[in-house]
């Protein structure tokens, strides 16, 4: 056993960490468009030599918009998955039932919060930013996979939000305070989700032989490739929004360079930072050392 998580303890820490949307986003609060929204570790705009400081700030804010949108999108498949996982266990352990239903309720709250933030962004930014989707289609594609593969993808997402906050946001005093508070509050509740997801992965892996695990892992990678296609398309939308917001026409060479560089930044944000998270890797290793090795082999592409 590589952890000491259990449903009862996770449930009580969930109740201690819980917040209301109004605490994070008060009625009169506005985003400060004079600041950046995402930490540089995720945005990766500073090294683009041909952009001005102002242009880097705008691209960073568009990345912030994308973060709100992509999280809204992934949480739309997490919610039904957790409900489906809870449903057959309603007669079982009471702590487990309550912890899973609370998990689902928190994700519904996060979807709501991300939408509200998105609305404030749109009100203040002034330029339309396109987003991949629709969320229902993304959810349908992800959820058609083996439940163990989906649970691994969700575990990856939960740990990824932990590292976004702890490694990049917590000590960053430059980014917009409201955005920082969003990432902090999301982190607070996701910390419990990561533990619940670990328990879900273990339940779903139970009794599978090595080939059953290997098949699920390949499906997890398929979900990853599907999301990678999505974020590649999103990179193009971000650059369209950048040109519209700044009025700058990128030359074909600049556009090609930015597409490549920013696609990699999105890969790190949504794929690499989850796949390489030590806790995600530890759960994989506990399920199957071969699975851990397979992921270690492909992860550098997404970092
Ligand atoms: Fe969430
Ligand atoms: Fe979550």
């Amino acid at each position: 056993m590589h952890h000491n998580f259990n449903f009862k303890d996770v449930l009580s820490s969930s109740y201690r960490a819980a917040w209301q949307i109004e605490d994070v986003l008060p009625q009169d609060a506005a985003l400060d468009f004079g600041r950046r929204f995402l930490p540089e570790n995720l945005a990766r705009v500073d090294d683009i030599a041909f952009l001005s400081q102002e242009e880097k700030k705008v691209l960073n804010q568009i990345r912030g918009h994308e973060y709100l949108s992509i999280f809204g999108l992934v949480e739309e498949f997490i919610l039904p998955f957790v409900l489906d996982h809870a449903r057959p266990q309603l007669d079982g352990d009471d702590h487990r039932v309550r912890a899973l239903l609370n998990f689902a309720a928190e994700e519904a709250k996060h979807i709501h919060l991300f939408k509200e933030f998105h609305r404030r962004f749109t009100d203040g930014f002034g330029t339309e930013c396109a987003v991949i989707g629709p969320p229902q289609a993304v959810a349908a594609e992800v959820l058609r996979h083996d439940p163990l593969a989906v649970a691994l993808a969700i575990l990856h997402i939960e740990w990824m939000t932990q590292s976004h906050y702890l490694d990049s946001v917590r000590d960053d005093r430059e980014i917009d305070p409201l955005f920082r508070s969003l990432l902090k509050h999301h982190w607070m509740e996701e910390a419990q989700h990561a533990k619940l997801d670990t328990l879900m992965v273990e339940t779903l892996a139970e009794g599978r032989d090595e080939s059953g695990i290997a098949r699920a892992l390949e499906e997890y990678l398929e979900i990853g490739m599907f999301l990678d296609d999505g974020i590649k398309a999103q990179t193009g939308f971000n650059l369209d929004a950048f040109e519209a917001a700044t009025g700058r026409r990128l030359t074909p060479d600049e556009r090609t360079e930015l597409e490549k560089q920013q696609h990699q930044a999105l890969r790190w944000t949504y794929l690499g930072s989850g796949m390489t998270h030590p806790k995600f890797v530890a759960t994989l290793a506990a399920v199957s050392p071969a699975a851990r090795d397979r992921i270690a082999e492909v992860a550098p592409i997404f970092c």
Side-chain angles (χ1 to χ4, degrees):
M1 184 86 98
H2 63 292
H3 63 76
N4 55 1
F5 310 150
N6 65 70
F7 287 104
K8 184 167 182 273
D9 292 349
V10 175
L11 184 64
S12 40
S13 16
S14 286
Y15 287 138
R16 283 196 299 277
W19 40 260
Q20 300 301 313
I21 289 186
E22 306 72 55
D23 304 335
V24 188
L25 191 58
Q27 271 302 329
D28 54 350
L31 292 159
D32 178 357
F33 284 89
R35 290 180 184 246
R36 296 182 178 208
F37 292 166
L38 272 195
E40 171 60 16
N41 177 30
L42 304 180
R44 294 191 183 171
V45 298
D46 276 345
D47 289 343
I48 309 165
F50 55 84
L51 297 187
S52 69
Q53 282 306 109
E54 178 62 23
E55 287 169 337
K56 287 175 184 174
K57 186 194 76 186
V58 172
L59 184 55
N60 178 295
Q61 291 174 348
I62 292 168
R63 291 287 326 271
H65 169 272
E66 155 228 301
Y67 195 89
L68 297 171
S69 310
I70 299 284
F71 263 94
L73 205 77
V74 297
E75 303 222 330
E76 296 244 12
F77 69 73
I78 298 178
L79 176 55
F81 182 80
V82 174
L83 285 175
D84 286 350
H85 184 79
R87 174 92 205 179
Q89 308 184 40
L90 291 181
D91 291 334
D93 174 61
D94 290 330
H95 289 115
R96 179 167 61 190
V97 172
R98 291 175 58 208
L100 291 174
L101 292 179
N102 190 54
F103 179 177
E106 286 182 350
E107 293 298 26
K109 183 175 69 181
H110 298 174
I111 293 171
H112 190 176
L113 178 67
F114 281 117
K115 277 187 194 155
E116 290 294 317
F117 255 87
H118 187 264
R119 213 160 43 79
R120 305 280 171 107
F121 180 96
T122 310
D123 290 349
F125 191 65
T127 302
E128 178 109 39
C129 302
V131 184
I132 55 168
Q136 297 75 11
V138 174
E141 172 58 25
V142 171
L143 294 173
R144 74 174 179 80
H145 288 90
D146 182 327
L148 177 57
V150 182
L152 284 170
I154 296 173
L155 181 68
H156 154 150
I157 292 165
E158 313 287 9
W159 285 123
M160 166 182 114
T161 59
Q162 296 299 289
S163 71
H164 289 174
Y165 180 71
L166 293 175
D167 300 348
S168 313
V169 177
R170 186 171 54 177
D171 300 323
D172 190 327
R173 302 282 149 189
E174 303 293 313
I175 60 172
D176 170 58
L178 207 55
F179 223 88
R180 190 165 172 274
S181 162
L182 166 75
L183 295 168
K184 177 183 175 185
H185 286 86
H186 197 220
W187 161 75
M188 282 162 63
E189 291 190 345
E190 295 290 315
Q192 281 67 248
H193 300 182
K195 294 175 184 171
L196 293 174
D197 243 304
T198 304
L199 296 168
M200 281 164 60
V201 163
E202 285 170 358
T203 305
L204 291 164
E206 224 166 58
R208 293 212 192 196
D209 60 11
E210 198 51 54
S211 69
I213 301 283
R215 271 199 309 278
L217 195 77
E218 290 312 308
E219 291 206 25
Y220 158 77
L221 287 171
E222 256 177 57
I223 295 172
M225 293 314 292
F226 168 68
L227 295 176
D228 188 40
D229 283 345
I231 60 176
K232 185 159 192 235
Q234 184 62 48
T235 305
F237 289 154
N238 287 356
L239 296 182
D240 295 344
F242 170 79
E243 291 190 305
T246 57
R248 173 171 177 165
R249 280 267 135 243
L250 295 164
T251 66
D253 283 354
E254 287 171 343
R255 173 91 190 193
T256 307
E257 186 182 332
L258 264 185
E259 269 169 3
K260 187 162 176 271
Q261 189 272 348
Q262 280 293 295
H263 179 211
Q264 202 59 31
L266 271 78
R267 280 178 152 177
W268 166 244
T269 304
Y270 304 107
L271 297 167
S273 63
M275 264 178 204
T276 58
H277 193 290
K279 296 282 180 49
F280 177 74
V281 173
T283 296
L284 269 185
V287 169
S288 149
R292 175 203 53 203
D293 296 346
R294 172 87 176 104
I295 294 305
E297 196 180 281
V298 301
I301 303 169
F302 302 108
C303 293

